[in-house]
């Protein structure tokens, strides 16, 4: 049975939910800094922004509590970023961390999360040369991903024409749908959904009352950096066209 993108209107006026296929591997990790190396933990970075991140511990247990200070290093594609922050919430195996607002750290985070670095880490999940052993919905034509930093989903009608696309970068979101047009918003949270046939991610978005031009400009900048190894040239041009106001 095809797994199409689902839209579920919440009871809140400007919040909507989307269900996307979830990529099962994460190469963006965080290692906590402990005096005793045996106590250090390696987490997956599930979500990250300029102000904080959500961590998930796949194996083992942690004993962090709210208001604990957490130090360590983020690792991604041979790059490393030393961070320090305060635990804002703890839920099961997950931790919500707010980064310290020191000028030097803020600058380092922005450099680490630069468009150049994000584009360098993009993987074409739809490309058959990558054997990730995951089944894509038949209506999902293209899927680009840079671990927890960027995802681009491009869907198609049965006749092959594009039906919609979504772009998520950090907490920013934009969507175009055939016959409806563009909308923008920001991600409020995500939870994993496991079924017998798949593992998906359900995102909650706060939709902007009016299109946020700064988000469109951000995503246009991202698209302008894509190459044909990511997407066919005509698809890149299609995205560029739809993001123009």
């Amino acid at each position: 049975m095809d797994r199409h993108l689902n839209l579920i209107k919440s009871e809140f006026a400007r919040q909507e939910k989307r269900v996307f296929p979830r990529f099962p591997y994460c190469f963006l990790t965080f290692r906590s800094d402990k005096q005793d190396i045996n106590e250090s933990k390696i987490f997956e970075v599930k979500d990250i922004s300029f102000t904080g991140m959500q961590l998930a511990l796949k194996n083992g247990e942690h004993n962090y509590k709210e208001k604990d200070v957490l130090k360590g290093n983020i690792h991604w594609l041979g790059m490393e970023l030393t961070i320090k922050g305060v635990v804002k919430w703890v839920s099961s195996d997950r931790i919500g961390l707010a980064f310290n607002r020191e000028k030097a750290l803020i600058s380092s985070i922005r450099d680490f999360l630069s468009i150049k670095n994000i584009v360098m880490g993009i993987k074409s999940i739809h490309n058959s040369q990558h054997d990730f052993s995951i089944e894509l919905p038949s209506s999902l034509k293209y899927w680009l991903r840079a671990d927890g930093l960027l995802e681009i989903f491009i869907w198609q009608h049965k006749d092959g024409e594009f039906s919609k696309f979504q772009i998520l970068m950090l907490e920013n979101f934009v969507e175009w749908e055939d016959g409806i047009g563009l909308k923008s918003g920001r991600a409020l949270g995500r939870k994993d959904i496991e079924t017998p046939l798949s593992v998906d991610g359900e995102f909650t978005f706060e939709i902007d009352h009016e299109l946020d031009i700064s988000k469109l400009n951000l995503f246009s900048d991202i698209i302008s950096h894509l190459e044909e190894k990511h997407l066919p040239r005509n698809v890149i041009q299609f995205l560029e066209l739809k993001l123009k106001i």
Side-chain angles (χ1 to χ4, degrees):
M1 181 176 180
D2 290 348
R3 291 180 299 143
H4 296 283
L5 172 136
N6 296 313
L7 182 152
I8 309 166
K9 292 184 178 179
S10 75
E11 60 185 1
F12 300 101
R14 297 303 301 175
Q15 290 185 15
E16 296 178 358
K17 294 181 180 180
R18 305 289 188 277
V19 176
F20 300 113
R22 194 193 70 167
F23 189 68
Y25 311 107
C26 181
F27 304 102
L28 181 66
T29 62
F30 170 76
R31 182 163 190 161
S32 61
D33 182 16
K34 290 281 191 177
Q35 291 183 349
D36 179 357
I37 192 65
N38 293 318
E39 293 184 18
S40 66
K41 302 289 185 183
I42 298 178
F43 296 83
E44 290 185 359
V45 179
K46 289 295 186 182
D47 293 296
I48 189 168
S49 69
F50 295 120
T51 58
M53 60 184 177
Q54 181 183 149
L55 305 173
L57 185 63
K58 292 206 71 172
N59 299 302
E61 299 179 350
H62 68 80
N63 57 2
Y64 292 107
K65 304 180 296 297
E66 288 185 26
K67 300 183 180 180
D68 280 350
V69 173
L70 185 56
K71 305 176 186 177
N73 295 292
I74 299 174
H75 299 271
W76 191 51
L77 302 177
M79 298 181 291
E80 182 175 292
L81 173 66
T82 300
I83 64 94
K84 181 179 180 181
V86 176
V87 175
K88 302 300 288 186
W89 56 263
V90 176
S91 175
S92 183
D93 63 339
R94 301 209 176 192
I95 294 174
L97 185 75
F99 297 137
N100 280 16
R101 305 306 295 162
E102 301 165 0
K103 277 190 175 182
L105 178 57
I106 293 173
S107 178
S108 296
I109 292 169
R110 291 194 172 274
D111 287 342
F112 188 83
L113 300 178
S114 67
I115 289 177
K116 176 183 176 182
N117 285 349
I118 291 174
V119 171
M120 183 175 64
I122 288 177
K123 298 178 181 64
S124 301
I125 310 302
H126 58 272
N127 196 326
S128 60
Q129 69 178 334
H130 297 297
D131 183 15
F132 293 122
S133 299
I134 56 176
E135 181 183 353
L136 302 186
S138 61
S139 56
L140 179 58
K141 179 65 175 178
Y142 300 106
W143 179 8
L144 301 183
R145 186 177 193 276
D147 300 292
L149 306 175
L150 171 75
E151 293 207 67
I152 300 176
F153 299 93
I154 304 175
W155 306 78
Q156 63 181 358
H157 293 297
K158 289 183 178 180
D159 62 6
E161 295 293 319
F162 294 131
S163 61
K164 65 190 76 173
F165 67 75
Q166 292 93 2
I167 309 175
L168 296 79
M169 179 180 169
L170 304 179
E171 61 182 12
N172 301 295
F173 168 74
V174 71
E175 175 180 78
W176 171 87
E177 187 169 359
D178 187 20
I180 296 178
L182 285 168
K183 62 176 65 174
S184 61
R186 104 186 145 89
L188 299 178
R190 188 191 81 177
K191 68 178 182 178
D192 295 335
I193 304 172
E194 296 193 25
T195 70
L197 298 178
S198 65
V199 179
D200 298 320
E202 180 185 85
F203 286 78
T204 300
F205 296 102
E206 182 179 69
I207 303 300
D208 298 323
H209 290 282
E210 296 182 358
L211 272 177
D212 187 331
I213 303 302
S214 65
K215 291 188 179 78
L216 297 186
N217 291 337
L218 171 65
F219 291 127
S220 293
D221 195 5
I222 285 282
I223 299 304
S224 71
H225 283 77
L226 296 182
E227 302 175 9
E228 290 190 31
K229 66 180 180 181
H230 301 121
L231 290 172
R233 174 53 52 185
N234 68 302
V235 179
I236 294 174
Q237 292 173 342
F238 169 79
L239 294 174
E240 291 176 331
L241 177 66
K242 294 303 181 182
L243 289 170
K244 287 182 179 179
I245 295 298

